[in-house]
mmCIF file of all heavy atoms in Angstrom:
data_model
loop_
_atom_site.group_PDB
_atom_site.id
_atom_site.type_symbol
_atom_site.label_atom_id
_atom_site.label_comp_id
_atom_site.label_asym_id
_atom_site.label_seq_id
_atom_site.Cartn_x
_atom_site.Cartn_y
_atom_site.Cartn_z
ATOM 1 N N ALA P 20 11.599 10.838 14.733
ATOM 2 C CA ALA P 20 12.544 11.729 14.039
ATOM 3 C C ALA P 20 12.510 11.469 12.534
ATOM 4 O O ALA P 20 12.529 12.413 11.739
ATOM 5 C CB ALA P 20 13.957 11.526 14.589
ATOM 6 N N LEU P 21 12.428 10.219 12.139
ATOM 7 C CA LEU P 21 12.363 9.874 10.712
ATOM 8 C C LEU P 21 11.048 10.356 10.104
ATOM 9 O O LEU P 21 11.024 10.900 9.000
ATOM 10 C CB LEU P 21 12.530 8.369 10.514
ATOM 11 C CG LEU P 21 13.894 7.801 10.896
ATOM 12 C CD1 LEU P 21 13.866 6.281 10.857
ATOM 13 C CD2 LEU P 21 14.987 8.346 9.990
ATOM 14 N N ARG P 22 9.945 10.179 10.844
ATOM 15 C CA ARG P 22 8.636 10.614 10.351
ATOM 16 C C ARG P 22 8.612 12.132 10.155
ATOM 17 O O ARG P 22 8.155 12.626 9.123
ATOM 18 C CB ARG P 22 7.541 10.195 11.335
ATOM 19 C CG ARG P 22 6.121 10.469 10.824
ATOM 20 C CD ARG P 22 5.101 10.314 11.924
ATOM 21 N NE ARG P 22 5.169 11.407 12.885
ATOM 22 C CZ ARG P 22 4.646 12.629 12.699
ATOM 23 N NH1 ARG P 22 4.037 12.922 11.572
ATOM 24 N NH2 ARG P 22 4.744 13.552 13.626
ATOM 25 N N VAL P 23 9.146 12.869 11.112
ATOM 26 C CA VAL P 23 9.161 14.335 11.035
ATOM 27 C C VAL P 23 10.005 14.789 9.843
ATOM 28 O O VAL P 23 9.610 15.683 9.090
ATOM 29 C CB VAL P 23 9.667 14.944 12.366
ATOM 30 C CG1 VAL P 23 10.010 16.408 12.210
ATOM 31 C CG2 VAL P 23 8.635 14.735 13.457
ATOM 32 N N ARG P 24 11.170 14.173 9.650
ATOM 33 C CA ARG P 24 12.035 14.534 8.514
ATOM 34 C C ARG P 24 11.339 14.263 7.180
ATOM 35 O O ARG P 24 11.375 15.096 6.283
ATOM 36 C CB ARG P 24 13.339 13.738 8.560
ATOM 37 C CG ARG P 24 14.331 14.239 9.536
ATOM 38 C CD ARG P 24 15.554 13.305 9.582
ATOM 39 N NE ARG P 24 16.546 13.854 10.446
ATOM 40 C CZ ARG P 24 17.473 14.728 10.064
ATOM 41 N NH1 ARG P 24 17.544 15.124 8.816
ATOM 42 N NH2 ARG P 24 18.338 15.204 10.934
ATOM 43 N N ALA P 25 10.746 13.083 7.060
ATOM 44 C CA ALA P 25 10.079 12.732 5.810
ATOM 45 C C ALA P 25 8.913 13.679 5.536
ATOM 46 O O ALA P 25 8.752 14.178 4.419
ATOM 47 C CB ALA P 25 9.601 11.286 5.854
ATOM 48 N N ARG P 26 8.139 13.938 6.561
ATOM 49 C CA ARG P 26 6.976 14.820 6.395
ATOM 50 C C ARG P 26 7.405 16.227 5.991
ATOM 51 O O ARG P 26 6.810 16.841 5.106
ATOM 52 C CB ARG P 26 6.173 14.852 7.689
ATOM 53 C CG ARG P 26 4.889 15.593 7.552
ATOM 54 C CD ARG P 26 4.067 15.439 8.795
ATOM 55 N NE ARG P 26 2.816 16.146 8.618
ATOM 56 C CZ ARG P 26 1.934 16.307 9.559
ATOM 57 N NH1 ARG P 26 2.135 15.784 10.747
ATOM 58 N NH2 ARG P 26 0.832 16.967 9.330
ATOM 59 N N ALA P 27 8.462 16.743 6.637
ATOM 60 C CA ALA P 27 8.960 18.088 6.316
ATOM 61 C C ALA P 27 9.444 18.181 4.879
ATOM 62 O O ALA P 27 9.358 19.233 4.247
ATOM 63 C CB ALA P 27 10.084 18.478 7.279
ATOM 64 N N ALA P 28 9.944 17.050 4.345
ATOM 65 C CA ALA P 28 10.431 17.021 2.963
ATOM 66 C C ALA P 28 9.332 16.649 1.969
ATOM 67 O O ALA P 28 9.590 16.547 0.766
ATOM 68 C CB ALA P 28 11.586 16.020 2.841
ATOM 69 N N GLY P 29 8.108 16.455 2.459
ATOM 70 C CA GLY P 29 7.002 16.087 1.581
ATOM 71 C C GLY P 29 7.119 14.667 1.040
ATOM 72 O O GLY P 29 6.606 14.361 -0.031
ATOM 73 N N GLN P 30 7.766 13.801 1.806
ATOM 74 C CA GLN P 30 7.983 12.412 1.378
ATOM 75 C C GLN P 30 7.009 11.491 2.101
ATOM 76 O O GLN P 30 6.662 11.715 3.263
ATOM 77 C CB GLN P 30 9.419 11.989 1.686
ATOM 78 C CG GLN P 30 10.459 12.844 0.990
ATOM 79 C CD GLN P 30 11.847 12.652 1.564
ATOM 80 O OE1 GLN P 30 12.033 12.433 2.750
ATOM 81 N NE2 GLN P 30 12.840 12.732 0.697
ATOM 82 N N ALA P 31 6.599 10.449 1.411
ATOM 83 C CA ALA P 31 5.740 9.428 2.003
ATOM 84 C C ALA P 31 6.549 8.145 2.137
ATOM 85 O O ALA P 31 6.998 7.589 1.133
ATOM 86 C CB ALA P 31 4.511 9.192 1.127
ATOM 87 N N VAL P 32 6.761 7.707 3.377
ATOM 88 C CA VAL P 32 7.547 6.498 3.618
ATOM 89 C C VAL P 32 6.878 5.625 4.668
ATOM 90 O O VAL P 32 6.075 6.096 5.471
ATOM 91 C CB VAL P 32 8.989 6.824 4.072
ATOM 92 C CG1 VAL P 32 9.757 7.576 2.987
ATOM 93 C CG2 VAL P 32 9.006 7.590 5.378
ATOM 94 N N THR P 33 7.244 4.375 4.647
ATOM 95 C CA THR P 33 6.917 3.446 5.716
ATOM 96 C C THR P 33 8.186 3.271 6.535
ATOM 97 O O THR P 33 9.268 3.092 5.979
ATOM 98 C CB THR P 33 6.434 2.096 5.161
ATOM 99 O OG1 THR P 33 5.197 2.299 4.467
ATOM 100 C CG2 THR P 33 6.231 1.065 6.260
ATOM 101 N N ILE P 34 8.055 3.342 7.852
ATOM 102 C CA ILE P 34 9.185 3.219 8.768
ATOM 103 C C ILE P 34 8.938 2.014 9.664
ATOM 104 O O ILE P 34 7.873 1.909 10.289
ATOM 105 C CB ILE P 34 9.318 4.481 9.646
ATOM 106 C CG1 ILE P 34 9.431 5.736 8.778
ATOM 107 C CG2 ILE P 34 10.489 4.345 10.618
ATOM 108 C CD1 ILE P 34 9.115 7.025 9.518
ATOM 109 N N VAL P 35 9.913 1.112 9.714
ATOM 110 C CA VAL P 35 9.812 -0.075 10.567
ATOM 111 C C VAL P 35 11.104 -0.199 11.360
ATOM 112 O O VAL P 35 12.190 -0.233 10.782
ATOM 113 C CB VAL P 35 9.586 -1.363 9.753
ATOM 114 C CG1 VAL P 35 9.421 -2.562 10.689
ATOM 115 C CG2 VAL P 35 8.393 -1.240 8.823
ATOM 116 N N ILE P 36 10.959 -0.271 12.680
ATOM 117 C CA ILE P 36 12.113 -0.493 13.554
ATOM 118 C C ILE P 36 11.879 -1.803 14.292
ATOM 119 O O ILE P 36 10.804 -2.014 14.877
ATOM 120 C CB ILE P 36 12.302 0.675 14.535
ATOM 121 C CG1 ILE P 36 12.496 1.987 13.758
ATOM 122 C CG2 ILE P 36 13.494 0.401 15.471
ATOM 123 C CD1 ILE P 36 12.550 3.230 14.628
ATOM 124 N N ARG P 37 12.891 -2.664 14.214
ATOM 125 C CA ARG P 37 12.802 -3.976 14.857
ATOM 126 C C ARG P 37 13.930 -4.153 15.864
ATOM 127 O O ARG P 37 15.047 -3.746 15.612
ATOM 128 C CB ARG P 37 12.910 -5.098 13.827
ATOM 129 C CG ARG P 37 11.760 -5.162 12.850
ATOM 130 C CD ARG P 37 12.026 -6.257 11.818
ATOM 131 N NE ARG P 37 11.013 -6.317 10.808
ATOM 132 C CZ ARG P 37 10.112 -7.297 10.688
ATOM 133 N NH1 ARG P 37 10.126 -8.309 11.530
ATOM 134 N NH2 ARG P 37 9.223 -7.266 9.726
ATOM 135 N N ARG P 38 13.598 -4.782 16.957
ATOM 136 C CA ARG P 38 14.610 -5.299 17.878
ATOM 137 C C ARG P 38 14.492 -6.808 17.769
ATOM 138 O O ARG P 38 13.457 -7.380 18.108
ATOM 139 C CB ARG P 38 14.367 -4.821 19.300
ATOM 140 C CG ARG P 38 15.555 -5.153 20.198
ATOM 141 C CD ARG P 38 15.449 -4.543 21.542
ATOM 142 N NE ARG P 38 14.226 -5.014 22.186
ATOM 143 C CZ ARG P 38 13.654 -4.413 23.204
ATOM 144 N NH1 ARG P 38 14.167 -3.317 23.687
ATOM 145 N NH2 ARG P 38 12.561 -4.906 23.741
ATOM 146 N N GLY P 39 15.540 -7.427 17.214
ATOM 147 C CA GLY P 39 15.406 -8.828 16.832
ATOM 148 C C GLY P 39 14.348 -8.914 15.751
ATOM 149 O O GLY P 39 14.370 -8.154 14.781
ATOM 150 N N GLU P 40 13.408 -9.784 15.930
ATOM 151 C CA GLU P 40 12.297 -9.879 14.977
ATOM 152 C C GLU P 40 11.056 -9.126 15.445
ATOM 153 O O GLU P 40 10.058 -9.049 14.734
ATOM 154 C CB GLU P 40 11.950 -11.352 14.710
ATOM 155 C CG GLU P 40 13.020 -12.096 13.928
ATOM 156 C CD GLU P 40 13.282 -11.488 12.554
ATOM 157 O OE1 GLU P 40 12.321 -11.137 11.835
ATOM 158 O OE2 GLU P 40 14.470 -11.350 12.202
ATOM 159 N N ASP P 41 11.112 -8.561 16.650
ATOM 160 C CA ASP P 41 9.972 -7.826 17.187
ATOM 161 C C ASP P 41 9.905 -6.425 16.580
ATOM 162 O O ASP P 41 10.901 -5.695 16.579
ATOM 163 C CB ASP P 41 10.077 -7.684 18.707
ATOM 164 C CG ASP P 41 9.984 -9.014 19.430
ATOM 165 O OD1 ASP P 41 9.383 -9.950 18.874
ATOM 166 O OD2 ASP P 41 10.514 -9.107 20.549
ATOM 167 N N ILE P 42 8.736 -6.055 16.089
ATOM 168 C CA ILE P 42 8.520 -4.703 15.579
ATOM 169 C C ILE P 42 8.244 -3.802 16.781
ATOM 170 O O ILE P 42 7.275 -4.017 17.507
ATOM 171 C CB ILE P 42 7.370 -4.658 14.561
ATOM 172 C CG1 ILE P 42 7.731 -5.478 13.329
ATOM 173 C CG2 ILE P 42 7.052 -3.211 14.180
ATOM 174 C CD1 ILE P 42 6.610 -5.643 12.320
ATOM 175 N N VAL P 43 9.114 -2.802 16.977
ATOM 176 C CA VAL P 43 8.953 -1.888 18.110
ATOM 177 C C VAL P 43 8.501 -0.498 17.660
ATOM 178 O O VAL P 43 8.171 0.343 18.487
ATOM 179 C CB VAL P 43 10.234 -1.814 18.974
ATOM 180 C CG1 VAL P 43 10.475 -3.152 19.676
ATOM 181 C CG2 VAL P 43 11.442 -1.403 18.169
ATOM 182 N N PHE P 44 8.495 -0.261 16.344
ATOM 183 C CA PHE P 44 7.936 0.972 15.783
ATOM 184 C C PHE P 44 7.518 0.679 14.353
ATOM 185 O O PHE P 44 8.277 0.083 13.592
ATOM 186 C CB PHE P 44 8.980 2.104 15.774
ATOM 187 C CG PHE P 44 8.422 3.415 15.282
ATOM 188 C CD1 PHE P 44 7.912 4.343 16.177
ATOM 189 C CD2 PHE P 44 8.406 3.731 13.928
ATOM 190 C CE1 PHE P 44 7.388 5.562 15.724
ATOM 191 C CE2 PHE P 44 7.884 4.935 13.469
ATOM 192 C CZ PHE P 44 7.376 5.850 14.380
ATOM 193 N N LEU P 45 6.305 1.113 14.012
ATOM 194 C CA LEU P 45 5.804 0.965 12.643
ATOM 195 C C LEU P 45 4.921 2.154 12.326
ATOM 196 O O LEU P 45 4.003 2.477 13.080
ATOM 197 C CB LEU P 45 5.003 -0.332 12.497
ATOM 198 C CG LEU P 45 4.216 -0.525 11.195
ATOM 199 C CD1 LEU P 45 5.147 -0.566 9.997
ATOM 200 C CD2 LEU P 45 3.372 -1.770 11.271
ATOM 201 N N HIS P 46 5.247 2.811 11.216
ATOM 202 C CA HIS P 46 4.405 3.920 10.769
ATOM 203 C C HIS P 46 4.385 3.934 9.244
ATOM 204 O O HIS P 46 5.434 3.976 8.605
ATOM 205 C CB HIS P 46 4.936 5.256 11.281
ATOM 206 C CG HIS P 46 4.090 6.417 10.866
ATOM 207 N ND1 HIS P 46 2.814 6.619 11.343
ATOM 208 C CD2 HIS P 46 4.324 7.429 10.005
ATOM 209 C CE1 HIS P 46 2.313 7.698 10.798
ATOM 210 N NE2 HIS P 46 3.203 8.217 9.972
ATOM 211 N N ALA P 47 3.187 3.897 8.683
ATOM 212 C CA ALA P 47 3.004 4.011 7.240
ATOM 213 C C ALA P 47 2.332 5.353 6.977
ATOM 214 O O ALA P 47 1.187 5.573 7.373
ATOM 215 C CB ALA P 47 2.147 2.867 6.716
ATOM 216 N N MET P 48 3.069 6.244 6.339
ATOM 217 C CA MET P 48 2.559 7.585 6.077
ATOM 218 C C MET P 48 1.517 7.554 4.962
ATOM 219 O O MET P 48 1.548 6.657 4.113
ATOM 220 C CB MET P 48 3.714 8.504 5.695
ATOM 221 C CG MET P 48 4.738 8.667 6.811
ATOM 222 S SD MET P 48 6.155 9.661 6.330
ATOM 223 C CE MET P 48 5.418 11.294 6.402
ATOM 224 N N PRO P 49 0.605 8.514 4.950
ATOM 225 C CA PRO P 49 -0.322 8.609 3.828
ATOM 226 C C PRO P 49 0.466 8.693 2.520
ATOM 227 O O PRO P 49 1.467 9.408 2.430
ATOM 228 C CB PRO P 49 -1.083 9.914 4.095
ATOM 229 C CG PRO P 49 -0.977 10.110 5.579
ATOM 230 C CD PRO P 49 0.372 9.560 5.961
ATOM 231 N N GLY P 50 0.018 7.913 1.534
ATOM 232 C CA GLY P 50 0.709 7.868 0.254
ATOM 233 C C GLY P 50 1.537 6.607 0.072
ATOM 234 O O GLY P 50 2.022 6.341 -1.020
ATOM 235 N N THR P 51 1.710 5.843 1.153
ATOM 236 C CA THR P 51 2.398 4.555 1.024
ATOM 237 C C THR P 51 1.365 3.460 0.812
ATOM 238 O O THR P 51 0.156 3.689 0.938
ATOM 239 C CB THR P 51 3.255 4.237 2.269
ATOM 240 O OG1 THR P 51 2.396 4.108 3.413
ATOM 241 C CG2 THR P 51 4.302 5.312 2.512
ATOM 242 N N THR P 52 1.843 2.275 0.490
ATOM 243 C CA THR P 52 0.965 1.128 0.273
ATOM 244 C C THR P 52 1.512 -0.067 1.056
ATOM 245 O O THR P 52 2.649 -0.023 1.545
ATOM 246 C CB THR P 52 0.906 0.745 -1.221
ATOM 247 O OG1 THR P 52 2.182 0.208 -1.611
ATOM 248 C CG2 THR P 52 0.539 1.939 -2.097
ATOM 249 N N PRO P 53 0.758 -1.153 1.143
ATOM 250 C CA PRO P 53 1.283 -2.352 1.794
ATOM 251 C C PRO P 53 2.573 -2.868 1.136
ATOM 252 O O PRO P 53 3.379 -3.530 1.792
ATOM 253 C CB PRO P 53 0.141 -3.360 1.660
ATOM 254 C CG PRO P 53 -1.089 -2.515 1.636
ATOM 255 C CD PRO P 53 -0.678 -1.296 0.830
ATOM 256 N N ALA P 54 2.784 -2.528 -0.124
ATOM 257 C CA ALA P 54 4.028 -2.946 -0.789
ATOM 258 C C ALA P 54 5.248 -2.349 -0.091
ATOM 259 O O ALA P 54 6.304 -2.984 -0.030
ATOM 260 C CB ALA P 54 4.012 -2.543 -2.258
ATOM 261 N N ASN P 55 5.129 -1.131 0.450
ATOM 262 C CA ASN P 55 6.255 -0.527 1.163
ATOM 263 C C ASN P 55 6.615 -1.334 2.413
ATOM 264 O O ASN P 55 7.799 -1.518 2.710
ATOM 265 C CB ASN P 55 5.956 0.922 1.536
ATOM 266 C CG ASN P 55 5.806 1.794 0.320
ATOM 267 O OD1 ASN P 55 4.706 2.239 0.010
ATOM 268 N ND2 ASN P 55 6.901 2.053 -0.378
#
């Protein structure tokens, strides 16, 4: 849902969802960098 919203708005973001310290979702959109 976050990826679709960002893409529709022409935004480039990195999205990270964690449960505890475990990464359960990670997406870096084109236009982001490892710094994000």
Side-chain angles (χ1 to χ4, degrees):
L21 294 171
R22 187 192 72 79
V23 166
R24 282 175 175 273
R26 187 173 181 186
Q30 300 165 326
V32 297
T33 295
I34 304 161
V35 183
I36 301 174
R37 294 176 184 251
R38 190 172 59 199
E40 291 300 316
D41 295 335
I42 296 173
V43 293
F44 184 93
L45 170 62
H46 181 68
M48 297 176 76
T51 63
T52 69
N55 295 110

